[in-house]
Amino acid sequence: MLKRKNLWMMSRFRTLYVAVLVMCAVFLSACETVIEIDPPDYDPELYIVSKFSPDSSWVAQLTSTIPLSVHPDSVDIFVHNATVMIYDGDLLVDRLVPRADSSFWYVSSLNHTPASETLYRIVVEAPGFTSISATSMAPPPPVLLDVDIEEFDDIEDPFYTEEYRIKFSIENPSGLHYFGFSTFQGSYVDSTLGWESFSLSTMYIRHDSRRWYCYYEDVLNPIGVEVSDGSEYCSIGLLSNRSFQDQSRIDFELTTNYFENFLGDQEQPSQDSRFVLLVVQSLSPEYIEYHSSLESQLDFEGFEEPVNLYSNVEGGRGVFAGSSVSYRVFDLSEME
């Protein structure tokens, strides 16, 4: 009898629980307010991203913007039959054409590469759009001095098998300049014809210096940036020479770790095929501004005003930005 009564009580409780849920749903639906949004008329604009360097031929990514009220999957954002031209002053130096295997990549028709310290202008015209243009320059490549690498014997982190200290300096040019540097671990791929290709993976750099930052935002706004205690690792180091105007060179010491299993399930490289790559870049102001705005947009949490991406394109949106690079390759087999 007691068991039957308990079952009856449980049944009444479930009925009451369901009734409460239904009442809550009805109450919430009654409080719902539909706000009609009538966005203003908007004409799509050309959107181009072209980051160029003397180490590669001209290339650009071309799409179009869309109105806020249109779902991206319902409209073709790719721009067809566009004319993309590169000028040095009034001289047409290259024309970019659509790549056969892509809807938005435009590549050099002549396989030309940019020159450093030359102010280029890109002009894009496409049916149904206002023409756009932008200018930028690839700074001169960094001049590397006294580059050296040494290996540390004692490694505390079990995920890494080797740790290296890379020392180098760069000449400090006059005026405001921006620099970035990265390290990579790699291995050559052996073949019957000799070394033909290689694999690369990022080596993270310990942030233990006040001379450089891990983020583009911090380079532009260094005031108040907290200095790392050495526990933070960065994929890239960034700085301007604003604080080094009285020096003819800027010196660096980087600590970076070699990850043994960087090829995953693939066969690991032989000892004599491994190397470390140091890449140092000179970056145009447009390059820094654009990547800084990308970081700010990724940090957007939805509770403040959204960050607009930087653009130096007249008549449209996007970025046209130059950079140059210098590098050194350290053959690890020579260090044994």
Side-chain angles (χ1 to χ4, degrees):
M1 183 71 179
L2 181 61
K3 182 177 181 181
R4 184 180 301 175
K5 184 176 181 181
N6 288 339
L7 291 174
W8 179 80
M9 291 292 293
M10 291 175 64
S11 176
R12 291 292 302 271
F13 177 77
R14 291 195 189 98
T15 302
L16 180 62
Y17 179 72
V18 172
V20 170
L21 288 179
V22 172
M23 291 177 62
C24 288
V26 172
F27 175 77
L28 291 175
S29 63
C31 295
E32 183 177 296
T33 302
V34 178
I35 301 176
E36 296 289 340
I37 298 178
D38 185 18
D41 293 337
Y42 175 77
D43 294 326
E45 300 173 286
L46 291 174
Y47 191 103
I48 191 167
V49 175
S50 179
K51 293 180 284 185
F52 60 92
S53 168
D55 293 281
S56 62
S57 57
W58 289 102
V59 64
Q61 189 182 71
L62 184 62
T63 56
S64 68
T65 61
I66 59 175
L68 182 64
S69 57
V70 175
H71 194 278
D73 294 338
S74 65
V75 65
D76 185 7
I77 65 170
F78 304 119
V79 180
H80 308 282
N81 303 319
T83 301
V84 183
M85 297 161 288
I86 306 293
Y87 290 90
D88 175 3
D90 294 328
L91 176 65
L92 177 64
V93 296
D94 206 345
R95 185 186 298 269
L96 310 191
V97 297
R99 199 170 73 183
D101 60 343
S102 174
S103 299
F104 53 79
W105 283 108
Y106 282 70
V107 297
S108 171
S109 59
L110 303 172
N111 202 31
H112 280 177
T113 57
S116 63
E117 301 182 87
T118 300
L119 185 63
Y120 289 105
R121 178 167 56 96
I122 191 169
V123 177
V124 182
E125 298 175 350
F129 293 92
T130 302
S131 63
I132 63 174
S133 65
T135 59
S136 186
M137 176 189 300
V143 178
L144 302 184
L145 307 168
D146 302 329
V147 183
D148 191 27
I149 186 172
E150 60 181 352
E151 183 179 358
F152 293 145
D153 294 329
D154 298 326
I155 309 297
E156 297 181 359
D157 195 327
F159 291 98
Y160 298 100
T161 57
E162 299 160 26
E163 188 172 67
Y164 294 92
R165 174 64 57 86
I166 299 176
K167 299 179 181 180
F168 69 97
S169 302
I170 56 176
E171 282 190 0
N172 188 11
S174 60
L176 179 62
H177 289 263
Y178 297 96
F179 300 98
F181 51 81
S182 306
T183 55
F184 301 87
Q185 62 187 72
S187 66
Y188 297 103
V189 177
D190 198 2
S191 75
T192 56
L193 300 178
W195 303 120
E196 290 190 333
S197 59
F198 52 85
S199 299
L200 284 179
S201 179
T202 299
M203 296 177 71
Y204 291 92
I205 308 166
R206 182 184 298 167
H207 190 206
D208 54 4
S209 171
R210 294 175 177 269
R211 290 176 173 264
W212 53 273
Y213 305 95
C214 295
Y215 303 101
Y216 293 89
E217 292 180 278
D218 294 343
V219 176
L220 294 176
N221 303 288
I223 305 299
V225 176
E226 295 183 4
V227 179
S228 172
D229 59 1
S231 62
E232 181 180 14
Y233 282 80
C234 315
S235 59
I236 187 172
L238 298 156
L239 72 150
S240 74
N241 65 344
R242 184 182 289 109
S243 301
F244 306 96
Q245 292 296 328
D246 58 340
Q247 302 178 23
S248 60
R249 54 188 278 171
I250 308 174
D251 303 318
F252 299 94
E253 288 189 3
L254 311 180
T255 302
T256 185
N257 293 316
Y258 193 100
F259 182 51
E260 183 178 31
N261 193 34
F262 79 98
L263 293 180
D265 296 332
Q266 302 180 44
E267 183 179 353
Q268 297 306 303
S270 61
Q271 195 71 12
D272 60 349
S273 70
R274 302 182 309 132
F275 62 87
V276 171
L277 174 65
L278 169 68
V279 176
V280 184
Q281 296 174 283
S282 291
L283 306 171
S284 65
E286 297 84 15
Y287 194 105
I288 291 286
E289 291 276 6
Y290 178 71
H291 281 273
S292 175
S293 67
L294 280 177
E295 289 178 346
S296 298
Q297 191 176 72
L298 289 174
D299 291 339
F300 174 64
E301 298 180 350
F303 297 102
E304 63 270 357
E305 185 176 350
V307 177
N308 290 324
L309 285 181
Y310 168 84
S311 175
N312 65 332
V313 177
E314 296 183 6
R317 298 182 183 275
V319 67
F320 183 60
S323 65
S324 296
V325 65
S326 296
Y327 62 90
R328 291 291 187 274
V329 178
F330 305 103
D331 188 342
L332 298 185
S333 64
E334 296 180 355
M335 299 180 59
E336 299 175 0

